[in-house]
Amino acid sequence: MGQKIIRLSEGVINKIAAGEVIENPASIVKEMVENSLDAGARRIAVSIMGGGQKLIEVEDDGCGMSEVDARLCFERHATSKIREAEDLHSLVTMGFRGEALAAIAAVSQFELKTSEKEVGVCVKGEGGRILSVSPCARNRGTTFSVRSLFFNTPARKKFQKSPATDTAQVTKTLEMIALAHPEVEFILTVQCKAALHFPVQTQEKRIAAVAGPFAHSLAGERLSGALSSPGEARPQRRGQFLFVNKRPIFSPLVAKAVQMGYGTRLPANHYPPFVLFLRVDPAVVDVNVHPQKKEVRFSEESSLFREVEQAVASVFETPSFPQALAPFSFDPPPIFSLAEEAPSHSIAFADMTLPLEIEARMIAALDHYAIVEKGGLFLVDLAKAHARILVEDLGEGSKERQTLMWPLEVESEAPEEEALALQKLGIECRALGEKLLAVDALPSSLEPALFPQFFAAWQSGKRVDTAVMNYCRGLKKRYSLEEAHLLWRRLQKCRDRVYDPLGRQIAVEIQRDDLEKIMEKR
Ligand code: ADP
Ligand code: MG
């Protein structure tokens, strides 16, 4: 028998490898942009035509390549990033296999223009072969163009998606990378039209620009980023972004730890959107588990888990704003009553003369909003604050009760049953015949005159949090400045001073930007 086994040519190997590294235009953009980042670029401009199948061009102002390297970089396992297998453990750069360019070049017509200083070199080729090398004009940096993707692999070309789908994926890919690199300017052009532009900005601003505004930020050494409020949690995991050493990573472990950090604030089967950046010693992560580097393995999983969980939990335990406010030195009226009709004027101007000696200043109350000053300005939703206080007051163990002089009577279809349920909320009551419920004592923050409204809200859902919220909203009350003070002080005694019973923020900081936006619209 003759020889059956042959050694595959380098070109064939590259084509096969291309299948693993490069699935579509988005994966090419990812590899090329990561190369630009590794080259220290401060500005990266990506341009695509036909979803990237016609053209992908990535231009950067990174370190560029010498002529020798510009020829070498298309060879498989040609890399400037590792020298020895051990180097894999101290990896800080994005790429490391020296496979991407070889694979991309194997299935396209490519052109590379690169320069370390003024004089550049232009390398052209197709199907993995270099066809020409010539000098060219180029500032420091690299421009890499890829045309006619998969022109020589018809089977793969057939399985490509529509240009619209590819464009969407390229956009998403670039957004993900941009999220982790606010210190770099990113530009995306689609069919010669500007599609994305992120200037150099702070991490916080970049997160907002890419993923939208978030209620909380985390600024630890190892863990930083942004967390949504529990109220914004969704039934799917969309919107959860994790980066480990700036690489986008899918880690069920970390996602779970974040979830635990929110604790019981989250409704069941809801997942909070977040953008988190974890910085760990490269020696404790194994980025080599997945060819596309989307998953990692951590060597000390349980301590990492606890660390993430605690960092997230601490965001909710030590709210930056409500806790920072010292109690008002202003002495409130002794009775906490919200039953009185609020003053007819909407803003309690008259009350501004009250002797407020001020650490934190309640500046104004407008309907159910108040403005508090402490370092910055905060807009407080008094109805939400009220609901938070009330929901914490409604509990079996709550001490502050007001015994009613005359029992309150409300109609009920099932008085026995409802009396039992209400007693669990600290409402002392009993069945009175078959259709009536008599209430003898209430938590002090529940106004007796308004109890029928609360009862109706509770009856419709039997859920305390929604009942309380509906009740407080339903009051449609204008709070006076004094009432705002009282609510504020009571809120400081709550276990959770940040969220209303439905997980929405009670107060938000008013930024100068916000004010300017409001004024600009006028
Ligand atoms: P890897 O990134 O894994 O090293 P690649 O095939 O992606 O492998 O790139 C091969 C080499 O080409 C890199 O190691 C780097 O030295 C060089 N290179 C690629 N892109 C750029 C770029 N935009 N700027 C400077 N050098 C680059
Ligand atoms: Mg690379």
Side-chain angles (χ1 to χ4, degrees):
M1 291 287 258
Q3 179 181 350
K4 272 194 194 153
I5 296 175
I6 54 150
R7 201 179 286 275
L8 292 174
S9 75
E10 189 69 1
V12 175
I13 295 171
N14 284 344
K15 268 199 203 175
I16 296 169
E20 285 164 32
V21 184
I22 293 159
E23 299 163 332
N24 52 26
S27 52
I28 295 185
V29 166
K30 175 176 177 290
E31 291 296 337
M32 301 207 310
V33 170
E34 287 185 348
N35 280 345
S36 298
L37 289 169
D38 286 344
R42 283 287 162 268
R43 181 182 183 278
I44 301 174
V46 179
S47 173
I48 59 168
M49 303 282 269
Q53 292 177 37
K54 280 209 180 102
L55 170 77
I56 299 171
E57 186 172 277
V58 176
E59 186 191 328
D60 70 50
D61 60 356
C63 64
M65 282 179 262
S66 67
E67 190 187 322
V68 180
D69 283 349
R71 288 169 188 265
L72 253 179
C73 71
F74 296 106
E75 276 175 37
R76 192 146 189 247
H77 304 308
T79 176
S80 55
K81 296 164 197 171
I82 52 170
R83 293 275 175 267
E84 312 275 341
E86 292 89 84
D87 291 349
L88 280 172
H89 296 296
S90 54
L91 211 65
V92 285
T93 50
M94 292 288 176
F96 54 88
R97 293 155 194 273
E99 283 187 350
L101 289 192
I104 295 166
V107 292
S108 69
Q109 296 166 338
F110 58 93
E111 182 185 287
L112 168 69
K113 284 185 181 169
T114 187
S115 158
E116 292 178 306
K117 287 194 203 85
E118 307 91 54
V119 197
V121 58
C122 174
V123 179
K124 288 186 189 175
E126 66 173 42
R129 278 189 333 230
I130 293 179
L131 299 177
S132 73
V133 179
S134 54
C136 75
R138 175 76 175 82
N139 291 335
R140 183 177 172 276
T142 302
T143 309
F144 195 10
S145 329
V146 173
R147 272 170 241 271
S148 314
L149 191 57
F150 301 124
F151 77 103
N152 55 350
T153 51
R156 182 156 279 272
K157 194 171 170 62
K158 236 200 242 151
F159 284 105
Q160 288 306 295
K161 306 256 164 53
S162 72
T165 308
D166 278 337
T167 300
Q169 282 185 2
V170 167
T171 308
K172 184 105 190 76
T173 301
L174 200 65
E175 282 178 337
M176 285 296 279
I177 297 173
L179 208 45
H181 298 274
E183 73 288 357
V184 179
E185 178 181 1
F186 289 91
I187 295 163
L188 174 66
T189 310
V190 176
Q191 302 293 111
C192 303
K193 286 200 200 90
L196 289 179
H197 185 196
F198 302 118
V200 173
Q201 50 200 166
T202 60
Q203 184 182 84
E204 213 176 336
K205 288 234 166 84
R206 179 63 62 86
I207 291 173
V210 176
F214 279 82
H216 300 280
S217 61
L218 255 177
E221 256 296 293
R222 276 161 56 93
L223 191 68
S224 65
L227 298 167
S228 71
S229 67
E232 285 160 333
R234 309 163 178 174
Q236 341 79 16
R237 288 176 201 272
R238 254 191 308 130
Q240 298 194 330
F241 301 110
L242 172 70
F243 296 80
V244 176
N245 294 347
K246 297 208 163 203
R247 288 170 205 275
I249 291 294
F250 171 70
S251 165
L253 174 86
V254 174
K256 179 81 190 159
V258 173
Q259 191 89 6
M260 298 292 283
Y262 275 82
T264 53
R265 293 175 183 87
L266 289 177
N269 301 319
H270 275 58
Y271 306 94
F274 61 76
V275 179
L276 286 175
F277 300 98
L278 185 61
R279 277 179 41 182
V280 295
D281 179 352
V284 308
V285 293
D286 184 359
V287 285
N288 214 353
V289 273
H290 194 279
Q292 265 125 28
K293 301 167 241 161
K294 280 178 196 147
E295 281 184 51
V296 289
R297 214 170 273 143
F298 302 99
S299 59
E300 283 162 20
E301 302 212 320
S302 61
S303 66
L304 178 73
F305 189 95
R306 273 197 308 279
E307 189 182 333
V308 172
E309 181 187 354
Q310 275 163 18
V312 172
S314 70
V315 169
F316 300 104
E317 275 154 18
T318 52
S320 57
F321 133 73
Q323 219 177 39
L325 287 162
F328 297 98
S329 52
F330 159 75
D331 249 348
I335 304 155
F336 182 64
S337 162
L338 293 166
E340 289 165 14
E341 257 313 301
S344 56
H345 49 269
S346 56
I347 302 181
F349 280 113
D351 295 346
M352 297 281 276
T353 54
L354 287 170
L356 297 178
E357 258 205 2
I358 307 197
E359 255 289 303
R361 243 176 3 137
M362 179 75 63
I363 299 179
L366 173 65
D367 290 354
H368 66 92
Y369 291 107
I371 293 174
V372 173
E373 186 199 7
K374 163 83 187 184
L377 283 185
F378 295 89
L379 181 65
V380 184
D381 186 328
L382 295 169
K384 288 180 181 167
H386 189 177
R388 163 53 57 194
I389 294 162
L390 188 49
V391 87
E392 291 199 6
D393 263 2
L394 288 169
E396 250 168 327
S398 80
K399 282 152 269 144
E400 279 184 68
R401 285 296 157 74
Q402 43 183 332
T403 306
L404 306 180
M405 199 118 54
W406 289 283
L408 236 157
E409 288 174 19
V410 284
E411 279 180 43
S412 160
E413 285 301 314
E416 301 271 0
E417 211 178 283
E418 294 198 315
L420 273 175
L422 287 173
Q423 275 157 16
K424 294 210 172 101
L425 302 178
I427 294 169
E428 284 175 24
C429 58
R430 59 207 145 84
L432 202 70
E434 288 187 347
K435 291 255 182 290
L436 280 180
L437 198 73
V439 178
D440 300 305
L442 286 171
S444 55
S445 53
L446 194 54
E447 177 56 40
L450 297 173
F451 178 76
Q453 266 147 282
F454 171 80
F455 185 64
W458 177 79
Q459 269 189 319
S460 64
K462 296 271 151 87
R463 279 192 47 174
V464 191
D465 47 6
T466 41
V468 165
M469 209 54 239
N470 289 344
Y471 164 76
C472 291
R473 275 269 171 267
L475 295 178
K476 280 218 184 68
K477 193 162 158 47
R478 287 178 177 171
Y479 295 82
S480 71
L481 201 56
E482 279 145 301
E483 289 167 338
H485 271 118
L486 283 163
L487 282 171
W488 185 258
R489 291 179 61 129
R490 287 292 306 269
L491 183 65
Q492 302 318 303
K493 294 197 190 121
C494 285
R495 286 190 301 277
D496 185 338
R497 279 152 284 193
V498 183
Y499 293 109
D500 77 5
L502 302 185
R504 297 165 308 188
Q505 266 181 287
I506 293 168
V508 291
E509 187 165 6
I510 307 170
Q511 305 280 357
R512 175 176 290 273
D513 281 3
D514 302 330
L515 297 176
E516 271 162 14
K517 259 181 228 143
I518 294 172
M519 290 312 285
E520 267 167 32
K521 285 199 191 118
R522 303 291 133 179

